Amino acid sequence: FQHLDSAAKGYTCDIKSSVLMMGPTGVGKSELLRIMGRLCNCPVIFINTSEVRPSGWRGLHITDMIARELNNGVSIERLKYAVIVLDEADKITKYGCRLVSDNNLDESYDMMRDIMKLLDVGHTLHIDNGVNMSTGTPNIVDLPVDNLLLVFNGAFQGIDDIIKRRLNISRSIGYGQRAASEESNVMDRVTADDLKQWGYIPELIGRIGEIVVLNPLTSETILEIMKTAKGNIVSS
């Protein structure tokens, strides 16, 4: 709502924070964001974090993905209120592996530092928008990040083990234990400390304003979708 309001009235929010969405694959995280973009009438830019590299590393950077929108005809004025979706955000870190070397030279660490720039009020991205044909020099467009909405999106498969260890929940094997585990989604109880164990740096965690947890689809939910959704398969 805050993003929609600021985009409609053209003001800048003084406090800049992001949203983290987590839930199993297929529950509709990306589709929710696409629908929200249509409701807000603002560009929604999906950036797969496994396809981009931090500044100074060889490969595509986040700014290159945003530049594609300019090449596709999206004006810089509309881009100022874009929703930047960092897809597969759980893959930024390598959970279970050593994250940062002794001298802090690590791709995951550098990527998180790059993402932090998108959350710094007053920071400006310099977007390469091709070459000026008359001068032969790069055509650089400035994009302030103040009104961008940053959304982290990922399945975070395995973070439930971190949460269960913290809550001292039994991991006993058996039908009854498994049924009880499926009944409650422990991701609902995720904390900043859990994200730190996952590998996120504290500075980035501190900029996450909301954590939205989507429950996995149950058999009953899937059946209801098949029977009641518009153009559903049963009616067809």
Side-chain angles (χ1 to χ4, degrees), residues 160-192:
D160 52 338
D161 292 332
I162 297 175
I163 300 170
K164 287 176 182 177
R165 282 198 300 270
R166 174 174 55 81
L167 298 175
N168 198 24
I169 295 177
S170 172
R171 299 178 63 192
S172 302
I173 298 174
Y175 178 77
Q177 290 287 342
R178 186 171 68 251
S181 175
E182 290 173 352
E183 199 65 33
S184 61
N185 185 6
V186 294
M187 276 190 179
D188 279 334
R189 302 168 77 176
V190 68
T191 65

Short mmCIF file of all heavy atoms in Angstrom, two decimals, residues 160-192:
data_model
loop_
_atom_site.label_atom_id
_atom_site.label_comp_id
_atom_site.label_asym_id
_atom_site.label_seq_id
_atom_site.Cartn_x
_atom_site.Cartn_y
_atom_site.Cartn_z
N ASP A 160 13.88 -24.39 7.80
CA ASP A 160 13.04 -24.95 8.87
C ASP A 160 13.87 -25.78 9.84
O ASP A 160 13.55 -25.88 11.02
CB ASP A 160 11.89 -25.78 8.28
CG ASP A 160 12.35 -26.82 7.29
OD1 ASP A 160 13.45 -26.67 6.74
OD2 ASP A 160 11.61 -27.80 7.07
N ASP A 161 14.98 -26.38 9.35
CA ASP A 161 15.85 -27.13 10.26
C ASP A 161 16.52 -26.20 11.27
O ASP A 161 16.69 -26.55 12.45
CB ASP A 161 16.92 -27.88 9.46
CG ASP A 161 16.33 -29.01 8.63
OD1 ASP A 161 15.28 -29.56 9.04
OD2 ASP A 161 16.91 -29.35 7.58
N ILE A 162 16.92 -25.01 10.80
CA ILE A 162 17.52 -24.01 11.70
C ILE A 162 16.51 -23.59 12.75
O ILE A 162 16.82 -23.49 13.95
CB ILE A 162 17.99 -22.78 10.89
CG1 ILE A 162 19.08 -23.17 9.90
CG2 ILE A 162 18.47 -21.67 11.82
CD1 ILE A 162 19.52 -22.03 8.98
N ILE A 163 15.26 -23.37 12.32
CA ILE A 163 14.21 -22.92 13.25
C ILE A 163 13.90 -24.01 14.26
O ILE A 163 13.74 -23.75 15.46
CB ILE A 163 12.94 -22.52 12.45
CG1 ILE A 163 13.24 -21.38 11.48
CG2 ILE A 163 11.80 -22.14 13.40
CD1 ILE A 163 12.14 -21.09 10.50
N LYS A 164 13.82 -25.27 13.80
CA LYS A 164 13.51 -26.38 14.71
C LYS A 164 14.61 -26.58 15.75
O LYS A 164 14.31 -26.87 16.91
CB LYS A 164 13.32 -27.66 13.90
CG LYS A 164 12.02 -27.71 13.12
CD LYS A 164 11.94 -28.97 12.25
CE LYS A 164 10.65 -28.99 11.44
NZ LYS A 164 10.59 -30.17 10.53
N ARG A 165 15.86 -26.39 15.35
CA ARG A 165 16.95 -26.52 16.32
C ARG A 165 16.83 -25.44 17.38
O ARG A 165 17.03 -25.69 18.57
CB ARG A 165 18.31 -26.42 15.61
CG ARG A 165 18.74 -27.69 14.90
CD ARG A 165 20.23 -27.69 14.62
NE ARG A 165 20.63 -26.58 13.77
CZ ARG A 165 20.66 -26.63 12.45
NH1 ARG A 165 20.29 -27.73 11.83
NH2 ARG A 165 21.05 -25.58 11.75
N ARG A 166 16.51 -24.21 16.93
CA ARG A 166 16.37 -23.11 17.91
C ARG A 166 15.20 -23.35 18.85
O ARG A 166 15.28 -23.06 20.05
CB ARG A 166 16.19 -21.78 17.16
CG ARG A 166 15.90 -20.59 18.05
CD ARG A 166 15.88 -19.29 17.29
NE ARG A 166 14.96 -19.30 16.16
CZ ARG A 166 13.64 -19.10 16.27
NH1 ARG A 166 13.07 -18.92 17.46
NH2 ARG A 166 12.87 -19.10 15.19
N LEU A 167 14.10 -23.89 18.32
CA LEU A 167 12.92 -24.15 19.13
C LEU A 167 12.97 -25.48 19.86
O LEU A 167 12.06 -25.82 20.61
CB LEU A 167 11.66 -24.12 18.24
CG LEU A 167 11.36 -22.78 17.54
CD1 LEU A 167 10.18 -22.93 16.59
CD2 LEU A 167 11.10 -21.68 18.56
N ASN A 168 14.05 -26.23 19.59
CA ASN A 168 14.23 -27.55 20.22
C ASN A 168 13.05 -28.47 19.91
O ASN A 168 12.53 -29.18 20.78
CB ASN A 168 14.41 -27.42 21.73
CG ASN A 168 15.02 -28.67 22.35
OD1 ASN A 168 15.69 -29.44 21.65
ND2 ASN A 168 14.76 -28.89 23.63
N ILE A 169 12.62 -28.44 18.64
CA ILE A 169 11.53 -29.32 18.20
C ILE A 169 12.11 -30.66 17.79
O ILE A 169 13.09 -30.72 17.04
CB ILE A 169 10.76 -28.69 17.01
CG1 ILE A 169 10.07 -27.41 17.48
CG2 ILE A 169 9.75 -29.67 16.43
CD1 ILE A 169 9.34 -26.67 16.37
N SER A 170 11.50 -31.74 18.28
CA SER A 170 11.99 -33.09 17.99
C SER A 170 11.93 -33.37 16.50
O SER A 170 10.99 -32.99 15.80
CB SER A 170 11.15 -34.12 18.75
OG SER A 170 11.49 -35.43 18.33
N ARG A 171 12.95 -34.07 16.00
CA ARG A 171 12.98 -34.47 14.60
C ARG A 171 12.81 -35.99 14.48
O ARG A 171 13.31 -36.61 13.56
CB ARG A 171 14.30 -34.04 13.96
CG ARG A 171 14.52 -32.54 13.99
CD ARG A 171 15.84 -32.15 13.40
NE ARG A 171 15.92 -32.50 11.99
CZ ARG A 171 17.05 -32.47 11.29
NH1 ARG A 171 18.18 -32.14 11.88
NH2 ARG A 171 17.05 -32.79 10.01
N SER A 172 12.10 -36.57 15.46
CA SER A 172 11.89 -38.01 15.45
C SER A 172 11.20 -38.44 14.16
O SER A 172 10.37 -37.73 13.60
CB SER A 172 11.03 -38.44 16.65
OG SER A 172 11.65 -38.03 17.85
N ILE A 173 11.55 -39.64 13.71
CA ILE A 173 10.98 -40.18 12.48
C ILE A 173 9.76 -41.02 12.82
O ILE A 173 9.76 -41.79 13.76
CB ILE A 173 12.03 -41.02 11.72
CG1 ILE A 173 13.22 -40.13 11.32
CG2 ILE A 173 11.42 -41.68 10.50
CD1 ILE A 173 14.36 -40.89 10.70
N GLY A 174 8.73 -40.87 12.04
CA GLY A 174 7.52 -41.66 12.27
C GLY A 174 6.33 -40.96 11.65
O GLY A 174 6.35 -39.75 11.45
N TYR A 175 5.26 -41.70 11.37
CA TYR A 175 4.12 -41.12 10.68
C TYR A 175 3.50 -40.00 11.51
O TYR A 175 3.18 -38.93 11.00
CB TYR A 175 3.07 -42.19 10.39
CG TYR A 175 1.84 -41.61 9.72
CD1 TYR A 175 1.85 -41.29 8.38
CD2 TYR A 175 0.68 -41.34 10.47
CE1 TYR A 175 0.75 -40.73 7.76
CE2 TYR A 175 -0.43 -40.78 9.86
CZ TYR A 175 -0.39 -40.49 8.51
OH TYR A 175 -1.49 -39.94 7.92
N GLY A 176 3.34 -40.25 12.82
CA GLY A 176 2.72 -39.25 13.68
C GLY A 176 3.53 -37.96 13.72
O GLY A 176 2.99 -36.87 13.66
N GLN A 177 4.87 -38.08 13.82
CA GLN A 177 5.73 -36.90 13.87
C GLN A 177 5.66 -36.14 12.56
O GLN A 177 5.60 -34.92 12.54
CB GLN A 177 7.18 -37.34 14.16
CG GLN A 177 7.40 -37.86 15.57
CD GLN A 177 7.37 -36.75 16.59
OE1 GLN A 177 7.52 -35.59 16.25
NE2 GLN A 177 7.16 -37.10 17.84
N ARG A 178 5.66 -36.87 11.44
CA ARG A 178 5.64 -36.22 10.15
C ARG A 178 4.33 -35.47 9.95
O ARG A 178 4.29 -34.34 9.45
CB ARG A 178 5.84 -37.25 9.04
CG ARG A 178 5.99 -36.62 7.66
CD ARG A 178 6.41 -37.63 6.60
NE ARG A 178 5.35 -38.58 6.33
CZ ARG A 178 5.39 -39.87 6.69
NH1 ARG A 178 6.43 -40.32 7.36
NH2 ARG A 178 4.39 -40.69 6.41
N ALA A 179 3.22 -36.09 10.35
CA ALA A 179 1.91 -35.46 10.20
C ALA A 179 1.83 -34.18 11.02
O ALA A 179 1.31 -33.16 10.57
CB ALA A 179 0.80 -36.42 10.62
N ALA A 180 2.38 -34.22 12.24
CA ALA A 180 2.36 -33.04 13.10
C ALA A 180 3.19 -31.92 12.51
O ALA A 180 2.84 -30.74 12.56
CB ALA A 180 2.87 -33.40 14.50
N SER A 181 4.33 -32.31 11.88
CA SER A 181 5.21 -31.31 11.29
C SER A 181 4.55 -30.65 10.09
O SER A 181 4.69 -29.45 9.86
CB SER A 181 6.53 -31.97 10.86
OG SER A 181 7.34 -31.07 10.18
N GLU A 182 3.82 -31.45 9.29
CA GLU A 182 3.16 -30.91 8.12
C GLU A 182 2.00 -30.00 8.51
O GLU A 182 1.61 -29.11 7.75
CB GLU A 182 2.65 -32.04 7.22
CG GLU A 182 3.78 -32.82 6.53
CD GLU A 182 3.27 -34.03 5.80
OE1 GLU A 182 2.07 -34.35 5.95
OE2 GLU A 182 4.06 -34.67 5.08
N GLU A 183 1.43 -30.23 9.69
CA GLU A 183 0.26 -29.46 10.12
C GLU A 183 0.62 -28.01 10.41
O GLU A 183 -0.15 -27.12 10.15
CB GLU A 183 -0.32 -30.12 11.38
CG GLU A 183 -1.77 -29.74 11.67
CD GLU A 183 -2.73 -30.24 10.60
OE1 GLU A 183 -2.50 -31.31 10.03
OE2 GLU A 183 -3.70 -29.52 10.34
N SER A 184 1.83 -27.78 10.95
CA SER A 184 2.23 -26.42 11.30
C SER A 184 3.46 -26.03 10.47
O SER A 184 4.39 -26.82 10.33
CB SER A 184 2.56 -26.32 12.79
OG SER A 184 3.63 -27.17 13.12
N ASN A 185 3.44 -24.82 9.95
CA ASN A 185 4.55 -24.32 9.15
C ASN A 185 5.51 -23.57 10.06
O ASN A 185 5.23 -22.43 10.45
CB ASN A 185 4.01 -23.42 8.03
CG ASN A 185 5.10 -22.97 7.08
OD1 ASN A 185 6.24 -23.41 7.19
ND2 ASN A 185 4.76 -22.09 6.16
N VAL A 186 6.64 -24.19 10.40
CA VAL A 186 7.57 -23.56 11.35
C VAL A 186 8.23 -22.31 10.74
O VAL A 186 8.80 -21.50 11.47
CB VAL A 186 8.66 -24.55 11.82
CG1 VAL A 186 8.05 -25.66 12.64
CG2 VAL A 186 9.46 -25.09 10.66
N MET A 187 8.17 -22.16 9.42
CA MET A 187 8.72 -20.94 8.81
C MET A 187 8.06 -19.69 9.35
O MET A 187 8.65 -18.61 9.33
CB MET A 187 8.55 -20.99 7.29
CG MET A 187 9.61 -21.76 6.54
SD MET A 187 9.43 -21.50 4.76
CE MET A 187 10.81 -22.48 4.14
N ASP A 188 6.82 -19.82 9.82
CA ASP A 188 6.11 -18.68 10.41
C ASP A 188 6.87 -18.08 11.59
O ASP A 188 6.64 -16.94 11.97
CB ASP A 188 4.72 -19.10 10.88
CG ASP A 188 3.72 -19.15 9.73
OD1 ASP A 188 3.94 -18.42 8.76
OD2 ASP A 188 2.75 -19.91 9.81
N ARG A 189 7.78 -18.86 12.17
CA ARG A 189 8.47 -18.43 13.38
C ARG A 189 9.93 -18.05 13.10
O ARG A 189 10.76 -18.04 13.99
CB ARG A 189 8.38 -19.55 14.43
CG ARG A 189 6.94 -19.91 14.74
CD ARG A 189 6.79 -21.18 15.54
NE ARG A 189 7.09 -21.00 16.94
CZ ARG A 189 6.96 -21.94 17.87
NH1 ARG A 189 6.48 -23.13 17.53
NH2 ARG A 189 7.28 -21.71 19.11
N VAL A 190 10.22 -17.72 11.85
CA VAL A 190 11.57 -17.34 11.47
C VAL A 190 11.95 -16.01 12.12
O VAL A 190 11.12 -15.13 12.31
CB VAL A 190 11.70 -17.25 9.93
CG1 VAL A 190 10.88 -16.09 9.37
CG2 VAL A 190 13.15 -17.14 9.50
N THR A 191 13.21 -15.89 12.50
CA THR A 191 13.72 -14.67 13.14
C THR A 191 14.96 -14.18 12.40
O THR A 191 15.49 -14.85 11.51
CB THR A 191 14.10 -14.93 14.61
OG1 THR A 191 15.21 -15.85 14.65
CG2 THR A 191 12.92 -15.50 15.39
N ALA A 192 15.41 -13.00 12.80
CA ALA A 192 16.63 -12.43 12.21
C ALA A 192 17.83 -13.34 12.45
O ALA A 192 18.70 -13.49 11.59
CB ALA A 192 16.88 -11.04 12.79
#
